[in-house]
Amino acid sequence: MADLTDENIRHAHSDTTRRDFLMLTAGALGAVAVGATVWPFIDTMNPARDTLAASTTEVDLTPVAVGQRLTVAWRGKPVFIDHRTTAEIKTAREVDIAQLRDPQSDAERVKKPGWLVVVGVCTHLGCIPLGQKTGDDRGPFGGWFCPCHGSIYDTSGRIRQGPAPANLAVPPYEFTGNATIRIG
Amino acid sequence: MADVHRGSGSRIIRWIDHRLPFMAMMQHELYDYPTPRNLSYWWNFGSLAGIMLVIMIVTGVFLAMQYTPSASLAFDSVERIMRDVNYGWLNRYAHANGASMFFAILYIHMFRGLYYGSYKAPRELLWMLGVLILVLAIATAFMGYVLPWGQMSYWAATVITSLFSAIPLIGQGIVTFLWGGFTVGDPTLHRFYALHYLLPFIILAVVLLHLIALHRFGSNNPLGIDMKGPQDSIPFHPYYTIKDLFGLCVFLLIYAFFVFYAPNFLGSPDNYIPANPMQTPNHIVPEWYLLPYYAILRSITFSILGIPAKLLGVIFAFGSLFVLLIVPWLDTSSVRSSQFRPIYKWLFWVLVIDVLALGWVGANPPQGIVVTVGQIATLYFYVHFLILLPVLGKIERPRPLPSSIAAAVLGDAAGVAAPAAPMGRS
Ligand code: HEM
Ligand code: FES
């Protein structure tokens, strides 16, 4: 064995740090390489280009009378279009916003007061609320009622009771004419 | 002696065994393997679970030869299996009911472990591997149930994957990732099929580890005390091979009853309606074996410390499995078997009733009394594991343990080294 002169100890010591450094950098690079190799596999599971592409829907609103509701499909999901009555608009606007779980005024949620356009997917766990068909249970706020776990939405599609955390989402849409909209 | 036995095999077998000691291993693990002499029928469920896993893989592979994992064709391909494929009905009913049987066996097997303290040292990892098998089986069955692409398939997939949206910030991104789109759809069905095919083989690998851990210390037994010598054990073959075989026959009768006489009793009729992304069934219920978790999920209707109810529900539902995982450290009593734990014995049965109550809650619409029962049962489930188990170990006075298995089973005399005292307390 080499004797423990100061010189030897210093060498041994600097050797260890050099080795540590190499181990650390090799380890870090290895981790990056593994990550870079795994990522393409993970990313194959994200929405593919064709899925992302197919996503606008044109709707003609002329046949929808005041008080009627229409369901259209957008990106495979239902979109609820509600031609609201003046009474419905009024109740939606009289609510004290501070009381709401997901505070939003009705004006923020519509482009024209008469037309409410929302994604018809419950923000709890994704069921489709009732209220689109005549005779459906609309819940005590006159909007929609989700049968799965009892979430209740008002005439602005805002969450009022039940387990859902947020209001029905407003999809991106535009009025392309007086009575036509393009969703997406 | 074992060598003589092996020697009686053909020369070819001996030639192979010398190079690849597979037969020797089997001889050691399944033939001579010393097993406590007092195992009851509750010890049949391990081998039953293994056989059921094999049945699932066999029926699954033959179903896969006929099944089409595409949103537009899946439902029809399952109907074709039922109507046109030779014995397709048998194969599918055996697979669908087999899943129920598999879970029934797993749950009995696990409650057995809870009753006899089989999770205690030195079997902690054995137990944890078992919980891992349960988790993998739940994932497998959930994805399998999506494959027939009926209304329940579709909406169960939607509701359960949406659970992940409860995670703050990245939740919605995770859900889109799981779906491979903006709703449950064709990409979702494809990946669930791929994973449904893969996971059972991973379960098989974990079962192997489970068995390695088991054979390290051998089986626990109804007395919960260790084997102390040869007088406490008997060889696995023929004693337990024959007992397991008898149990298997009884089990197969029950399984066959469901397959041939009540094939849809355990399933939901709504799953014979093709999936419709535009309409939710009025009442979504999971398969019976997932009802207790579903009940816990729905029971959290309030937020605590600003954590929203939706996220809490998810945490508590998954938490019920996590609690099982750490049971070896929650139970502070060093006595394994409930036979010698006067208080725990009763708490065990209260827990059984509690879990059954959760099952009932999960099957019913969340209104009125159902909600209250669900909340009490959820609370009690956690109180049992997180409070009663740790505290009980400190305050309960266990009954005296027998000196050995043989002493308890054959009378005291057999336990002592000198076989001279023929008249023990019989
Ligand atoms: C732990 C093992 C397994 C469990 C718990 C399980 C569970 C299930 C369940 C619950 C279903 C739905 C049955 C229905 O209602 O129709 C299903 C369907 C299916 N499984 Fe499995 N499975 C297992 C293993 C396998 C394996 C290994 C394969 C393939 C090699 C497979 C292939 C299939 C196929 C093709 C279907 C769709 C046909 C059908 O719905 O009947 N399964 N599985
Ligand atoms: S999905 Fe609507 S209340 Fe749960």
Side-chain angles (χ1 to χ4, degrees):
Chain A
M1 284 293 272
D3 46 10
L4 296 175
T5 60
D6 278 1
E7 187 69 359
N8 277 344
I9 288 169
R10 206 175 53 75
H11 262 296
H13 189 73
S14 66
D15 232 28
T16 345
T17 43
R18 196 181 304 156
R19 188 163 291 177
D20 282 351
F21 175 77
L22 286 172
M23 288 289 278
L24 277 173
T25 44
L29 279 175
V32 171
V34 169
T37 314
V38 168
W39 175 247
F41 292 104
I42 304 278
D43 203 28
T44 59
M45 288 175 69
N46 273 318
R49 265 185 288 266
D50 60 336
T51 314
L52 289 171
S55 43
T56 57
T57 303
E58 298 264 356
V59 190
D60 178 11
L61 300 178
T62 15
V64 188
V66 173
Q68 248 184 356
R69 289 175 174 181
L70 173 73
T71 308
V72 296
W74 171 67
R75 286 178 160 183
K77 302 183 214 242
V79 168
F80 293 168
I81 299 173
D82 184 7
H83 199 172
R84 300 189 293 181
T85 62
T86 11
E88 284 173 335
I89 301 172
K90 191 154 163 282
T91 44
R93 304 217 150 177
E94 274 169 354
V95 176
D96 175 10
I97 292 163
Q99 303 291 314
L100 296 176
R101 184 177 305 171
D102 182 5
Q104 253 188 334
S105 72
D106 184 61
E108 285 173 68
R109 297 178 51 80
V110 292
K111 298 225 154 104
K112 291 185 182 176
W115 296 96
L116 177 73
V117 181
V118 287
V119 177
V121 173
C122 182
T123 58
H124 181 227
L125 295 174
C127 290
I128 296 176
L130 297 173
Q132 287 299 96
K133 293 200 197 102
T134 33
D136 272 0
D137 184 356
R138 296 184 169 193
F141 293 89
W144 289 270
F145 167 72
C146 183
C148 288
H149 319 95
S151 288
I152 295 164
Y153 298 90
D154 67 12
T155 53
S156 189
R158 289 173 299 201
I159 180 66
R160 300 300 289 271
Q161 271 176 27
N167 303 334
L168 293 178
V170 178
Y173 72 97
E174 257 170 282
F175 277 87
T176 48
N178 225 352
T180 45
I181 56 170
R182 191 178 59 231
I183 307 170
Chain B
M1 205 178 74
D3 247 15
V4 175
H5 188 94
R6 226 173 293 142
S8 68
S10 79
R11 280 180 56 200
I12 300 175
I13 291 188
R14 266 183 293 156
W15 186 91
I16 296 174
D17 217 40
H18 187 64
R19 288 151 182 84
L20 176 77
F22 183 73
M23 296 306 280
M25 193 181 96
M26 286 293 131
Q27 166 99 15
H28 184 70
E29 302 297 343
L30 288 179
Y31 217 87
D32 311 329
Y33 178 59
T35 311
R37 66 190 311 152
N38 60 335
L39 297 188
S40 66
Y41 276 109
W42 296 113
W43 267 259
N44 277 52
F45 290 87
S47 73
L48 280 183
I51 292 166
M52 203 55 237
L53 179 62
V54 173
I55 295 178
M56 290 311 283
I57 291 179
V58 172
T59 52
V61 167
F62 284 98
L63 280 174
M65 295 179 193
Q66 309 286 347
Y67 171 78
T68 314
S70 140
S72 55
L73 301 170
F75 187 89
D76 290 346
S77 80
V78 172
E79 286 310 303
R80 184 180 158 270
I81 291 173
M82 295 300 292
R83 293 153 199 250
D84 295 339
V85 174
N86 301 328
Y87 290 108
W89 58 272
L90 177 61
N91 201 16
R92 169 156 186 264
Y93 280 153
H95 196 75
N97 287 283
S100 281
M101 296 300 124
F102 189 54
F103 277 94
I105 291 167
L106 284 187
Y107 287 141
I108 294 173
H109 188 62
M110 294 183 81
F111 272 116
R112 184 283 317 260
L114 288 174
Y115 188 81
Y116 293 108
S118 301
Y119 47 83
K120 292 185 191 183
R123 297 189 182 83
E124 301 95 325
L125 285 180
L126 174 59
W127 170 263
M128 293 172 87
L129 287 166
V131 176
L132 180 60
I133 291 170
L134 176 67
V135 172
L136 290 170
I138 289 173
T140 307
F142 162 64
M143 289 193 262
Y145 192 64
V146 175
L147 302 184
W149 211 242
Q151 271 291 68
M152 275 302 162
S153 299
Y154 186 90
W155 290 101
T158 300
V159 167
I160 300 302
T161 47
S162 296
L163 291 178
F164 291 90
S165 69
I167 300 167
L169 301 177
I170 52 169
Q172 198 52 50
I174 291 180
V175 174
T176 306
F177 168 76
L178 291 175
W179 290 343
F182 303 105
T183 53
V184 169
D186 204 49
T188 327
L189 179 58
H190 269 85
R191 66 192 52 185
F192 278 20
Y193 182 49
L195 294 173
H196 184 69
Y197 208 130
L198 171 69
L199 281 184
F201 294 92
I202 297 192
I203 294 180
L204 205 61
V206 180
V207 167
L208 213 65
L209 295 179
H210 191 70
L211 287 178
I212 294 174
L214 172 67
H215 283 220
R216 178 74 177 87
F217 296 102
S219 296
N220 184 31
N221 63 79
L223 295 169
I225 56 177
D226 292 328
M227 288 185 280
K228 295 187 180 110
Q231 73 278 13
D232 288 345
S233 73
I234 46 179
F236 192 80
H237 181 77
Y239 297 104
Y240 287 112
T241 40
I242 201 74
K243 191 167 179 171
D244 278 352
L245 214 57
F246 176 69
L248 176 66
C249 293
V250 174
F251 163 73
L252 286 178
L253 284 177
I254 298 169
Y255 181 23
F257 169 78
F258 279 104
V259 170
F260 293 109
Y261 294 98
N264 291 305
F265 177 74
L266 296 165
S268 161
D270 276 28
N271 223 26
Y272 285 105
I273 304 169
N276 177 0
M278 294 291 149
Q279 198 190 351
T280 309
N282 278 342
H283 185 200
I284 298 184
V285 265
E287 295 287 85
W288 70 266
Y289 42 81
L290 301 179
L291 288 173
Y293 314 103
Y294 192 59
I296 295 178
L297 174 79
R298 288 192 319 193
S299 289
I300 315 292
T301 51
F302 42 83
S303 59
I304 306 176
L305 302 171
I307 306 172
K310 180 172 156 185
L311 182 56
L312 276 181
V314 177
I315 292 173
F316 277 87
F318 281 107
S320 63
L321 291 164
F322 181 73
V323 169
L324 282 178
L325 196 67
I326 58 171
V327 140
W329 293 275
L330 292 175
D331 186 346
T332 49
S333 168
S334 59
V335 175
R336 292 198 192 104
S337 173
S338 292
Q339 289 186 10
F340 305 102
R341 298 188 60 188
I343 306 178
Y344 175 76
K345 186 183 195 147
W346 291 107
L347 291 184
F348 169 84
W349 289 109
V350 178
L351 179 72
V352 173
I353 292 168
D354 187 64
V355 172
L356 292 176
L358 282 172
W360 173 78
V361 168
N364 284 285
Q367 282 149 12
I369 183 81
V370 176
V371 180
T372 320
V373 174
Q375 290 175 339
I376 294 172
T378 301
L379 181 69
Y380 184 80
F381 183 88
Y382 279 95
V383 167
H384 174 94
F385 284 104
L386 298 179
I387 299 175
L388 297 181
L389 270 193
V391 171
L392 200 59
K394 309 270 187 229
I395 59 172
E396 184 183 43
R397 267 195 65 200
R399 293 208 195 89
L401 297 175
S403 58
S404 76
I405 294 173
V409 176
L410 307 171
D412 274 343
V416 297
M423 295 290 171
R425 274 179 302 155
S426 65

